[in-house]
Structures are given as C-alpha cells and as structure tokens.
Amino acid sequence: MKLTVWTYEGPPHVGAMRVATAMQGVHYVLHAPQGDTYADLLFTMIERRDHRPPVTYTTFQARDLGGDTAELFKTAVRDAYERFKPEAMIVGASCTAELIQDDPGGLARAIALPIPVIPLDLPSYQKKENWGAAETFYQMVRTLAPGDAQPRPAPDATRRPRCNILGPTALGFRHRDDLVEITRLLQRLGVDVAVTAPLGASPADLRRLPQADFNVVLYPEIAGTAAAWLERTHGQPSVRTIPIGVGATRDFIREVAEIAGIDPAPVLAESAGRLPWWSRSVDSNYLTNKRVFIFGDATHAIAAARVAAEELGFEVVGLGAYNREFAREVRAAAAKYGVEALITDDYLEVERVIAELQPELVLGTQMERHIAKRLRISCAVISAPAHVQDFPARYSPQMGFEGANVLFDTWVHPLVMGLEEHLLAMFRDDFEFNDAAGASHLGAGAASASPPAPAAAPDAAAVASVIAWSDEAQAELAKIPFFVRGKARRNTEQFAASRGIALVHLETLYDARSHFAR
Amino acid sequence: MTVLGALSSLARPAPATPRDRPVLRERGQREVFCGLTGIVWLHRKIQDAFFLVVGSRTCAHLIQSAAGVMVFAEPRFATAIMEERDLAGLADTNEELDRVVDQLLARRPDIRMLFLVGSCPSEVIKLDLSRAAQRLSTRYAPALRVINYSGSGIETTFTQGEDACLAALVPEAPQAPANAPPSLLVVGTLPDIVEDQFRRLFSALGIASVDFFPPRRSGEIAPIGPNTRFLLAQPFLGDTAQRLASRGAKRLPAVFPFGAEGSTAWFKAAADAWGIADDHFQRVIAPPRDRARRALERYRTALQGKSVFFFPDSQMEPSLARFLARELGMRPIEVGTPYLNKDLVARELEQIPEAVISEGQDVDRQLERCRAARPDLVVCGLGLANPLEAEGMTTKWSIELVFSPVHGFDQAGDLAALFARPLARRDLLRV
Ligand code: SF4
C-alpha cells in the first residue's frame, strides 16, 4: 500500500484511452464501474475535445457481482459494435474488473465480431498510464501489422525516403503542435511521412506501417515498445533523438539524414530560429548560472536539462522523472550535470527536494508549478500530466526550431517577471508598494502576506536546516533581492553549520557573505 | 432491441399510482462519478477531518481530476493505493493500512477524525474497513476517531458518497436526553456562508437551538435524540435520514431550499414544527424572500419558456427542475436522476407534471432522446458537455450545482444565473 496525495500518472487503462481517443475507427470496451467514466472529462475538458472518447464502460454495480458481469461485458461489446461500427476494437479491464477476472479478451473473442478485437492485459496494480499507452499501441501494431505483412518496396532513386512518426496521442503535452513542426521539418529534409500514429491514424493506417523505411519516435514513453518491435520484425530503424532544443533538433536532422541516406547540410544551413541569438543578446546575461530544477517525464526532463545547460546557460541543480521505466536514461543524464537523479512518483518527495535545493527556476509538471508557487519560485511547465493550460489556442510546439523559440519565451518569462518582484522589494518602503501586493505573475491569490502553508508542508526556509535566525538577521535577509535570497540563506546556514553556530546573527550573515565571496 | 435496452423500463414499467408516476428506468452505461467524489467538498467542510481512500490508482486519479487538478496545496485527503503485494496476499493488508495511517498522522498531527473510505477494489477483495476503523480508533483514542464508509462506484453514485459519509457519522453523535428541549438539525454539507445566513433566519424566527450536520469541526457533532427535528438540505441523504430516524430524530418533510418558493417552504416546515405564528413567519421571511424574487426576476426573461433536459448526476435534478419550472418558467423535458428517492422528492415531482422522469442511465440512448428533443438547455456532466456544445446544444455542467453555494434566499439569483449564463453567452458570441 502506498500513501498518495497526487499522482503524476493515471492508471494504465487511461493510457489505453489516450491511444484509442487519438485514433480514428477504434472503439474501446472497458470493463469498469461507473465512477471510472470520470476519465472522459480528461479529454473533453482538459483537452477540450469536441467528441466523447470512443469508450464504452460496462459500469457494473455491486448487485451485478453476484450475477453475470461477464454477460454484461459481452452485451456491451455487441452493442458498441452495432452502434459505433468501428474498424477495430480493443477490450480490457480497469482495476476493479481485473479483480473479478472475467477475461474480457476471451469473452470478446467468443462473440466473433467481423473486425480485429485486440485484448489488452494492463495490470492496474503494477503499471501506470504511460506503460498502458505503450502496451496498447504495441498490441495494436503487432495485431494489425504482423510479421508476415506485405514486404516493403526497396528504396530506389525514383522515390523520396519515407518514415512514420510514432508516439503522439490524445492528452499529450503539446503533441498536436510538435507533430506539425516535425512533419514540416521532415518535409524540408525531403522525407515523406507515411503514417503518423496513434494520433489521427486508423487501423488501416497501422496496417501500412511496415511500408515506411524508418520510424521517428517522438515520445519513447508511448511508442518505444512498438518501435522496437517494428525494428525487430520489419527491419525498420528508429530515429531516437528527441528534437527538443536547437542542438537536439540539429542532431535529429543529422540522424534522420543518415538513416534516410540524404544530405542534411542544406537544412542545417538554414536558420535555427531565434533562440541562439536571443540567448547571446546581452540582456540575457542575467540568465547565467540561474539554478534550475527539472522534473517531468524522462524524455522531456532530459531534453530540458540539455537546453537549460547548453542553450540558456543555466546551472542544472536537480534532474528527475516520475516514470521509473526510464530511470537508467535519467541517471545517465543527471551524471552529466553532476547531480543525483530523482526518480520518484511521490509528489511530497519532489516538494521536499525542491525546498531543499531552493532553485531559482523550476521546470516541471503542473504539480511542480504548485510546489513552486507555494515556495515562491519561478516555474515553467515542460511535461505531462497535462492541464487545461497546456492546451493553448496558439501554435506552441516544444520540438524543432520553433519549439526552441517557445522554450526560450516560456522559461525566461517567469524569470523576467521575477525581476518585477525584485523591483517591488526595492520599493518596499515606498508608501505605494508593499510586499503584500505580491508579484503579478503569481496571480491575484498569491499575495505574500499569507501564502498557504499547512502545518506539514515544508517551507523553503524550514526544511533545509534547524538553524535559527535572529530577528535582526532575518530582517536583513529580507532586504536582499528575492532572486538571490534563497542562495544567501542557504550559504549562510551552511556557513553557520560548518562553524557550529546555531543562531544566525547579523554578523554571521556578513561573515558568510565574505566567506563565499572569496 | 439490444439486451441492455430490453432491461430498460419500457419492458418493465413502474407501477403507476397517483403519487407514484411512471418512471423511465434504464440500465446501461452510466456516465456518472462514484461516491468518492464527495470527498472534494466534504474535506473542506469538516476542517479537522482527513479522508483516506483505500483503493487503486484509478481512485486517486478520479479525485484529483474531479477536484480540477490540484486546487488545494496539501489537501486533507489521500489514497492508500493497493499494490500487487496487497492483492497477492504477500502483505498483510491490515498491517499495511496501519503503517500508512501512522505515516499520515506523522505528517498531519492536527487531524482529529479520520475517514477510511472504501472503494470498488477494497469492496471486491472484501477488505473489512469497519474492523480496521475500530482497531485504529482504539489505538489512537482519544486524540483521533476513525470512521469508515464506502464511496465505491459499485455501490454509490456521486452525491451518495456524502450520504454514506454522513450516515456513518450519525452514530458518533452524542445521545440527547429524552427531556432535552427541542432542537433543529440541518442535514447536508452547506458552505459556511449559507449556514450563517440560515442560522440568522432561524434565530429571527425564534428557533434558537440550531445545529448543522456535518459540523465544521469533528468534535462539535450535535447531540441527537427524540426531541431532535431535522431538515434535509439536500435530496440525496436518504440513508442519513434513516439513521437519524433510528435514533429517534424526526424529519420535517419539505421541498428543498432552492429558490424563493423552495426556501420559504423549507423554513416554513421548521416554523410550523416550532409552532411559530404565521404573521411572525411572514414578517421574518418577507425581506429575504423579496430579495430573492427580485434577483430571480432578472433572469426570468432569459429563461421563461426555455426547455431543459437533465442528464442524471447528483439526485438534485427533481428539485432543480421544480425550481426552474415554478420560479423561472422553464419547461423540463426529461429529468434524469441516478436514483429516485420518491419519499424525499415527492413534493418536487408533483410540481413538474409534464417532464419524463428517468432513473438510472443508458447514456447512448439518453443522448438520442436528447438530440431528438433539441432542448434549449442541457444539464449534464463534464464528459458530455463539450461534445454536446459541439453539436450545437447549450449546456450547463451539473457539477457546479454541487460545488457552488446555491441554497437559500440569498443564493437564489446565483442559482438562476448558473442556468442563464450559458444561454446568454450563446447569444453574445459572434464567432
Ligand atoms: S468507481 Fe470504483 S474504482 Fe473507480 S474511482 Fe470510483 S471507487 Fe475507484
């Protein structure tokens, strides 16, 4: 049993829903109680989809348990087929139905529908949403594009190289726009996109997957398993570089060019967007060595760390991911920045680490946004779990050169707004200004006079140490601009601890300052 | 006809007696929340209580999503997520639960009441949470009381979770002596501001001893006994009402306090039980009632004559339909409710004679009826609202009717506004 306040990932059947909802002509019959229908609102409200997800829930009740829940399931399958006439169906159980062991796959097979029916075995008590999406996509690809599928015509001089783009789903963090950006980039390179899946693909499209020369895996969390199988079974190599940031996009171009046997030079010679110059422009000087903490799904977190370090000149002070399946990759990346990887799906643990590190910027999920808000640290969102704000009306990719422009804006903006808070602090004694006004970017509810700090929520100050501050020293600390205040506090306390000082006086503060100035 | 269809009421018509009008009973896919959702508002009300769901990742995800992703920094609810080890019998579930509760209390020593909330998985594996609650209660007495109820989706629909919670809370109330002076208990979670308004009105009427259930703090549960009279503030509290009755308390039947009329009738039920003279009642009630009427007048033109279709959600549907029909001149076409407690809503049903009353759900068939009826306004859950808007319908999300202050005279205008706004917006937009 695990105590959980907030979860980064839903159960695995929600991953399956993300695949089904992304596709055309697929219907999902899910053996589940009525409350599980909440998952529909993730798609209709958070992503603002204008259709219900193509999911039929059996919504069995307690009184059905003594009777025939299996019959209920079969009826639901027949009705869903009649009503929706899908090209393929996936069937499975949610956590509760898993316990009653009705075997949805076997029951559906017994009905012998004239379409492919793909049973899903998603262990709800072991696995989570991303795994569920990956497994669902893999099972569908395997069933619809089996090893004996029609062989691929050999590449020849008369046709352009052709690839599939794998990974984008419903409810994905900026998948919609990444897809547009990367499709355009591939076209500029002279590569045709045969199939994009799951997003927008039909079962017929999945059957055509083996016809492409190679696969571009945009979201390994979702498409990694299927791509590895396509590689083994159909000999399709995969492009694995994730084109987030300028450097990674260039690497991506090179990798695609190599696999496709084309020349990347013309596209590499084109503009790489505005990030390189924006970052070199002198006003960006203040970004140098900003301490940044990064947390999200492994793919986005690792990519963000590279952009932060190499393209914005930040110092990566923490790097982590909530999906254990990719722990190895995250550890390797963390080692590059000399930090220890934080692999956890425990929100409270992430909060503790952020409070301890006191970064100046948090790049995280919506969860970290809340943590950062409470600790009054600037924050930008880089990864799912997705929130309604992560589906902007405007074009806003994370990938490719335009994506890099977007990253520059969205990561630097909160820091610039932070400077506004610094100005507030400078004018704090002016009658028109006071700390309680708060900074505008934190929203009206974030006035600093009473940040919501429940008893057990670690306060940035309280967590790191047990060292006390005299009123005088505390007051002096408050005069230090906020964006270095955390650092000053940390250094002072570290200094005090190393000298066995339990109470920080004004003197200690300045001693520490001169100590660290050396 | 499909098998699920055959199970619907068309094949099994409900007996029609004068009081008991025909009800369309459907059994098919339901598009409703489970009772766990009630935690979202219950935990805000009882300020020193914590709700620990014993369930799965789905349960945790439901509460998080229903609450609108992390509105509250550190909420007073959490989920003890069962894992493979718990199910395979590798771990002693009771020991595991004790460990999780220890962990929780170490973080939140301020908690005085802990609800162990059952879910579908805990029910299916027959985890005995009532025994666990007893054991933990003994262990942590007197600092903490541990109570259990089920919010599982196989047994409860949305607001039934509150009913199950409050029913479980009834035995915690001290016994009021048989000779205690009469006291009034208002039953159902209300926002503090509404409670304060109600308390002022009761006191002006001359009913001094008024308590609210659940209380704001777990130690403040009012004594219950044969001289307790109670008014339900919500129509979904059938089990709670029964439990209260079994402790000798007497229910004052009334329509529910939505709108000027509804609120008047509700207060009148109490006033009559206390033998308060009608002229005094009229004097006290007139100012807020007139205020409510004026507020409703503003929305009448917009809503008058408009048709409304309710998908089942909270069991408040009959009461809301009555309010819309009687006080704003709307025309309910279908009033769907997950469960129809005829005893509690009989008076509401009498006042909406035209509408089809449906209980339970077969969502695809109901959507067909809704499309055929082309109502001016559809009241439905979050999963259906945007898809119906995309089909050109105007919708009101039903969940807001549960989460917002809508009871009593001073909220009557706000309640009407919730229905008027989507229509006004549709008229406004030119894109
Ligand atoms: S319906 Fe059951 S399994 Fe689903 S969230 Fe509700 S209690 Fe949990």
Side-chain angles (χ1 to χ4, degrees), chain A residues 33 35-36 95-96, chain B residues 34 36 58-59 62 119-121 151-153:
Chain A
D36 293 8
C95 53
T96 308
Chain B
C34 60
L36 294 185
T58 315
C59 308
L62 161 102
S119 66
C120 305
S152 83

Side-chain angles (χ1 to χ4, degrees), chain A residues 365-388:
Chain A
T365 71
Q366 287 291 338
M367 314 263 190
E368 284 66 46
R369 193 173 68 84
H370 280 259
I371 295 172
K373 197 164 161 184
R374 190 157 58 255
L375 300 177
R376 303 183 64 71
I377 300 171
S378 301
C379 179
V381 175
I382 58 157
S383 157
H387 184 269
V388 66

Side-chain angles (χ1 to χ4, degrees), chain A residues 338-396:
Chain A
V339 297
E340 203 183 315
L342 176 65
I343 311 291
T344 181
D345 63 353
D346 183 349
Y347 161 88
L348 300 172
E349 170 74 1
V350 180
E351 180 177 58
R352 193 187 59 71
V353 172
I354 294 178
E356 202 173 278
L357 288 170
Q358 295 184 37
E360 290 156 283
L361 177 67
V362 171
L363 300 176
T365 71
Q366 287 291 338
M367 314 263 190
E368 284 66 46
R369 193 173 68 84
H370 280 259
I371 295 172
K373 197 164 161 184
R374 190 157 58 255
L375 300 177
R376 303 183 64 71
I377 300 171
S378 301
C379 179
V381 175
I382 58 157
S383 157
H387 184 269
V388 66
Q389 289 167 1
D390 300 321
F391 294 91
R394 66 180 186 280
Y395 181 57
S396 188

